Amino acid sequence: ARILRTGPKSLKEVAEAHFRPELLKGHGINLAADEVASHCELMAASGDVVFLEDGKIESKGTENFISFIGGMR
């Protein structure tokens, strides 16, 4: 959610902000975006982010995922 504090971003934008540039070369950007998508799906299920109609992700400013994950045990 830290990366989304400045406003909604696409999966690719989040991946580019999170991962080192050398990891994003070639197919790396697709792998990184897939990983970001998985994390964002969990955060959406816990109410911390929403997927907007334009495909971008928006933070809701919460960190519910911490207790959400704890409840999965």
Side-chain angles (χ1 to χ4, degrees), residues 7 11-12 14 24-25 27 32 35 40 45 49 54 56-57 59 63 66-67 71 73:
L11 291 172
K12 182 180 176 187
V14 174
L24 303 175
K25 292 181 180 177
H27 293 291
E35 184 170 340
C40 287
V49 301
D54 64 1
K56 291 188 176 189
I57 306 139
S59 173
E63 293 185 350
I66 297 168
S67 59
R73 296 180 187 168

Side-chain angles (χ1 to χ4, degrees), residues 2 6 10 13-14 22 25-26 28 35 39 43 45 64 69:
R2 171 185 51 84
T6 58
S10 69
E13 290 170 323
V14 174
E22 63 269 18
K25 292 181 180 177
E35 184 170 340
H39 286 275
M43 293 177 77
N64 299 323
I69 292 170

